[in-house]
Amino acid sequence: MIPEEVLRQAQEEMLDWHGLGVSIMELGHRGPEFQAVIEQVEADLREVMGIPSNYHVLFVAGGASHQFSMVPLNLLSEHHKDADYIETGIWSHKAVVEAKRYGNINVAGQVIVENGIHRLPRQAELKLNPKAAYLHYTPNETVDGIEFHWVPKTGDVPLVADMTSCIMSQPINVNDYQMIYAGAQKNVGQAGITIVIIREDLVKEALAITPILYTYKAYVESKSCYNTPPTYAIYISGLVLNWIKKQGGVKAIGERNHRKAKKLYDCIDQHKGFYVNKIAPDCRALLNVVFSLAREELTDEFLNQATQLGLTNLRGHRSAGGIRASIYNAMPEAGVDCLVEFMREFAKKNG
Amino acid sequence: MIPEEVLRQAQEEMLDWHGLGVSIMELGHRGPEFQAVIEQVEADLREVMGIPSNYHVLFVAGGASHQFSMVPLNLLSEHHKDADYIETGIWSHKAVVEAKRYGNINVAGQVIVENGIHRLPRQAELKLNPKAAYLHYTPNETVDGIEFHWVPKTGDVPLVADMTSCIMSQPINVNDYQMIYAGAQKNVGQAGITIVIIREDLVKEALAITPILYTYKAYVESKSCYNTPPTYAIYISGLVLNWIKKQGGVKAIGERNHRKAKKLYDCIDQHKGFYVNKIAPDCRALLNVVFSLAREELTDEFLNQATQLGLTNLRGHRSAGGIRASIYNAMPEAGVDCLVEFMREFAKKNG
């Protein structure tokens, strides 16, 4: 979902961006106009997320999956190939699989299942290697709807977070991380661009085999313009950042997201025998509320009736089944209210 | 430049794509709606370019520069690391630099300067290695405006062409190539996506060090959906392909492009002492008419006056200086007429 205001502005500016009589799609990436756009998007990102000046902000074409390779290729070195990964779902698993091709990967923690309830490992349960080149984790796993609500402590080991599905969903302290990356399509715009926030000292020579456009150095040195960047995707991210600022910033958005999530989880918990959420309360995802129906055979009926009310995209990930309510930033609170009302009605009729 | 009709359609559909009430930016890439889009774009591409069924069509996020690494990583093997490159300008040079990191690169031909006139090597002048894994060349070099108007013969060696700046500018015979790639931003849409056309037998295991999203195999096996593709860029390419079909296809577009180029080159040649083009007539680029003013000090005045007439983006590449008229498919014939008239006037006043 993209905020309607953002789409309206993109629509208005499609044929005539800022009175230039051309579309922003048609601007050369080295011209002063587009350079001003990319600089403003970076400045807005720094403001909205509170990114300190000793971090680079890079725009990398393509989705976050490229980072599954880029992180080990850039943060490992010939003499230091050990890295820690917390593996808590399909996204962090994919990151582990790719990293194993380049380094010695220690899985420092996984999801723990106790009495059918899934929870994340606690700090004391992490098997950390104090000499790891970095620790990689995925704060929010979208398929199962499980999220860290605390930041792992890693001592001197750089912490790398894949925030694709949780970036700008609530305030964070960027200083808690040495590197953050996020595909833009959940909360910062459209598919086709990934934002990389990396502390200056982590940018060094990549492994010798690294393709030039997989080295963070190339992006740092060229200000993300080594080659033509996805200019339109960067522009849309800029519009979304403006929208976030108008909403009151990440703080206000976070408060709204917590209200939205609470309404849904409360409804699930109030209908315990009917709706099932298997995630421990302190690990429940803010933006991906995943649940199933105790009577699984009602799932299709639930989805059909929801669709008729305009509540679409509720089918769970193909690997998980069940229901998943993705309530990203652009989903208005009223949409959640509508879903909760439908869920109550559906439970009453079929419970 | 993007055709105005394409921008208008994108504008109209921004908030409501095909009556679904959502933007195409918001559609999941695995849903039936987007899958129908990407299939249609592939079908249109096959139709417009006449791509045989034994070629794959892949959509790769990012610009063509990624292919400078992907080509050697995928087409070389541990036991066969020799490749030929024709190096005729800055783009093919960049491809050579990157390929040298992975293989033994033989530069099979370069631009030849005779009496100040630049020309491409002829077939007999190419120093081909009959055992090369492939020959890579760049049919059109945009900075100098120099273009192959014939296809190198390579015997059994696969021919790979970077067509970023000439794809769909005129009809080609895809069977003359084993692989074609092109960043979309010149003739097929917006920046952020590269089209790869590769004969089936060339898709094999990449070098062991290749990041998963740099292997053609991952795109073939997932139908370009290994991860979230740049959905909006693919959609825009589809609109441009429709526009090409409405124009009468690549044949009609090619005829118009030849008329456009002839008008400009004729004007330059008719004012020989005033405008200078240093490219041999049979190597002149169809879409990038590069020239300079004999009296170099008039360049800024030329550019200023042109801008006042709405003739923008005429400054030559920063490495070449002078003037460059980029007359891609979306540039209407009337725009070229306007430029030619201005050039005649300017020469008359200052000649």
Side-chain angles (χ1 to χ4, degrees):
Chain A
M1 255 187 119
I2 292 183
E4 190 177 319
E5 284 166 70
V6 166
L7 293 173
R8 287 206 184 281
Q9 190 175 348
Q11 183 178 47
E12 269 168 35
E13 298 183 336
M14 181 63 83
L15 279 101
D16 183 12
W17 181 78
H18 290 199
L20 285 182
V22 297
S23 171
I24 190 148
M25 281 183 211
E26 303 177 287
L27 290 179
H29 67 287
R30 296 204 191 275
E33 297 89 357
F34 181 73
Q35 284 302 311
V37 170
I38 195 169
E39 279 168 23
Q40 190 60 50
V41 174
E42 179 179 335
D44 288 341
L45 204 56
R46 286 185 183 277
E47 181 190 332
V48 164
M49 289 185 67
I51 303 171
S53 61
N54 62 328
Y55 286 73
H56 295 292
V57 173
L58 313 176
F59 300 98
V60 179
S65 299
H66 291 276
Q67 301 303 315
F68 299 165
S69 319
M70 287 177 76
V71 166
L73 283 167
N74 283 271
L75 303 191
L76 297 178
S77 64
E78 294 301 338
H79 304 293
H80 194 183
K81 294 208 170 178
D82 296 336
D84 282 355
Y85 277 68
I86 308 182
E87 192 182 18
T88 48
I90 72 159
W91 299 108
S92 46
H93 173 69
K94 285 186 180 204
V96 167
V97 168
E98 190 65 4
K100 280 185 172 167
R101 300 180 54 216
Y102 303 107
N104 311 313
I105 305 308
N106 166 48
V107 174
Q110 288 183 301
V111 169
I112 293 159
V113 185
E114 289 166 337
N115 304 321
I117 297 297
H118 296 229
R119 70 167 176 86
L120 293 163
R122 302 195 180 100
Q123 177 75 41
E125 291 167 333
L126 295 175
K127 293 172 201 76
L128 299 173
N129 168 10
K131 296 194 170 164
Y134 61 89
L135 171 90
H136 178 283
Y137 85 123
T138 309
N140 181 45
E141 283 281 359
T142 54
V143 172
D144 299 311
I146 193 162
E147 183 168 4
F148 281 85
H149 294 294
W150 52 280
V151 181
K153 285 187 178 49
T154 53
D156 290 336
V157 172
L159 181 63
V160 178
D162 174 0
M163 292 203 184
T164 299
S165 61
C166 58
I167 192 168
M168 289 188 252
S169 63
Q170 59 183 330
I172 61 162
N173 182 358
V174 173
N175 276 312
D176 288 344
Y177 308 84
Q178 279 67 54
M179 179 177 159
I180 292 167
Y181 65 88
Q185 71 270 18
K186 302 295 185 195
N187 274 330
V188 212
Q190 65 176 39
I193 184 128
T194 294
I195 291 159
V196 173
I197 300 158
I198 183 168
R199 213 174 63 188
E200 284 170 356
D201 57 306
L202 255 69
V203 178
K204 52 183 182 59
E205 290 301 326
L207 293 179
I209 53 174
T210 310
I212 180 73
L213 279 168
Y214 261 39
T215 68
Y216 295 130
K217 233 181 147 201
Y219 293 84
V220 169
E221 289 173 356
S222 67
K223 291 180 180 267
S224 301
C225 288
Y226 177 89
N227 69 332
T228 312
T231 53
Y232 197 73
I234 290 171
Y235 155 75
I236 293 287
S237 288
L239 299 188
V240 172
L241 285 162
N242 256 323
W243 175 82
I244 289 174
K245 290 207 278 184
K246 274 189 216 148
Q247 303 292 305
V250 176
K251 190 166 171 288
I253 291 222
E255 286 161 6
R256 196 176 67 182
N257 283 337
H258 278 278
R259 282 199 304 276
K260 281 153 58 182
K262 187 174 186 310
K263 285 178 181 177
L264 274 166
Y265 286 118
D266 281 354
C267 173
I268 292 165
D269 290 343
Q270 285 156 11
H271 300 83
K272 242 183 187 149
F274 192 77
Y275 296 119
V276 183
N277 173 286
K278 60 180 186 180
I279 308 298
D282 63 346
C283 303
R284 284 172 166 180
L286 186 59
L287 304 186
N288 315 95
V289 178
V290 173
F291 59 98
S292 57
L293 285 97
R295 285 164 56 199
E296 263 181 46
E297 69 276 15
L298 288 174
T299 307
D300 282 345
E301 184 58 27
F302 180 95
L303 290 167
N304 287 342
Q305 290 189 22
T307 301
Q308 280 164 29
L309 292 171
L311 299 161
T312 53
N313 290 319
L314 285 169
R315 191 179 288 281
H317 187 269
R318 62 212 147 96
S319 70
I323 315 289
R324 174 171 59 171
S326 296
I327 49 175
Y328 291 109
N329 287 354
M331 160 70 85
E333 208 161 340
V336 172
D337 292 339
C338 181
L339 174 57
V340 167
E341 201 186 308
F342 164 69
M343 284 170 66
R344 288 191 200 286
E345 283 296 314
F346 191 85
K348 201 154 94 181
K349 272 188 216 148
N350 300 280
Chain B
M1 259 186 116
I2 291 184
E4 190 177 319
E5 282 166 70
V6 167
L7 293 173
R8 286 207 185 281
Q9 190 175 347
Q11 183 177 47
E12 270 167 35
E13 297 183 337
M14 181 63 83
L15 281 100
D16 183 13
W17 181 78
H18 290 200
L20 286 182
V22 298
S23 171
I24 189 148
M25 282 184 210
E26 304 177 286
L27 289 180
H29 67 288
R30 296 204 192 274
E33 297 88 358
F34 182 74
Q35 283 301 314
V37 170
I38 195 168
E39 278 168 24
Q40 189 61 49
V41 174
E42 179 180 334
D44 288 342
L45 203 57
R46 286 185 182 275
E47 179 189 334
V48 164
M49 289 186 67
I51 303 171
S53 61
N54 61 328
Y55 286 74
H56 294 292
V57 173
L58 313 176
F59 300 98
V60 179
S65 298
H66 291 275
Q67 301 304 315
F68 299 165
S69 318
M70 285 178 77
V71 166
L73 284 167
N74 284 271
L75 303 192
L76 296 177
S77 63
E78 295 301 337
H79 304 293
H80 194 183
K81 293 207 171 179
D82 296 335
D84 281 355
Y85 276 69
I86 307 182
E87 192 182 19
T88 50
I90 73 159
W91 298 108
S92 45
H93 173 69
K94 286 188 178 198
V96 167
V97 168
E98 189 65 6
K100 279 184 173 168
R101 301 179 55 216
Y102 303 107
N104 311 313
I105 304 307
N106 166 48
V107 174
Q110 288 182 301
V111 168
I112 293 159
V113 185
E114 290 166 336
N115 305 319
I117 297 297
H118 296 228
R119 70 165 176 85
L120 293 163
R122 302 195 182 98
Q123 176 74 41
E125 291 167 334
L126 296 176
K127 292 173 201 77
L128 299 172
N129 169 8
K131 294 194 172 165
Y134 61 89
L135 172 91
H136 178 282
Y137 85 123
T138 309
N140 181 46
E141 282 281 359
T142 54
V143 172
D144 300 310
I146 194 163
E147 183 168 1
F148 281 86
H149 293 295
W150 52 280
V151 182
K153 285 188 179 47
T154 53
D156 290 337
V157 173
L159 181 63
V160 178
D162 174 0
M163 292 203 184
T164 300
S165 62
C166 58
I167 192 168
M168 288 188 252
S169 62
Q170 58 182 329
I172 61 161
N173 182 357
V174 173
N175 275 312
D176 288 345
Y177 308 84
Q178 279 67 54
M179 179 178 158
I180 292 167
Y181 65 88
Q185 71 270 20
K186 301 297 185 194
N187 275 330
V188 212
Q190 66 176 38
I193 183 128
T194 294
I195 291 160
V196 173
I197 299 159
I198 184 169
R199 214 175 61 188
E200 285 170 354
D201 56 306
L202 256 69
V203 178
K204 52 183 182 56
E205 290 301 326
L207 292 178
I209 53 175
T210 311
I212 179 72
L213 278 168
Y214 261 38
T215 68
Y216 295 130
K217 233 180 147 204
Y219 293 84
V220 169
E221 289 172 356
S222 66
K223 292 181 178 267
S224 300
C225 287
Y226 177 88
N227 68 333
T228 313
T231 52
Y232 197 74
I234 290 170
Y235 156 76
I236 293 287
S237 288
L239 298 187
V240 173
L241 284 163
N242 255 323
W243 175 82
I244 289 175
K245 289 207 277 184
K246 274 189 215 148
Q247 303 291 306
V250 176
K251 189 165 174 289
I253 292 222
E255 285 162 6
R256 197 175 69 182
N257 283 338
H258 278 280
R259 282 198 306 274
K260 283 153 57 181
K262 187 174 186 311
K263 285 177 181 177
L264 274 167
Y265 286 119
D266 281 353
C267 173
I268 292 165
D269 290 343
Q270 285 156 10
H271 300 84
K272 241 185 186 145
F274 192 78
Y275 297 119
V276 182
N277 172 287
K278 61 179 187 179
I279 307 299
D282 63 346
C283 303
R284 284 172 164 179
L286 186 60
L287 304 186
N288 315 94
V289 179
V290 174
F291 59 99
S292 57
L293 285 97
R295 287 164 56 199
E296 264 181 44
E297 68 277 15
L298 289 174
T299 307
D300 281 346
E301 185 57 26
F302 179 95
L303 290 168
N304 288 342
Q305 290 188 22
T307 301
Q308 280 163 29
L309 292 171
L311 299 160
T312 53
N313 291 318
L314 285 169
R315 192 178 288 281
H317 187 268
R318 61 211 149 101
S319 71
I323 315 289
R324 174 171 58 170
S326 297
I327 48 174
Y328 292 108
N329 287 354
M331 160 70 87
E333 208 160 341
V336 172
D337 292 339
C338 181
L339 174 58
V340 167
E341 200 186 309
F342 164 70
M343 284 171 67
R344 288 190 201 286
E345 283 296 314
F346 191 85
K348 203 155 95 181
K349 273 187 214 147
N350 300 281

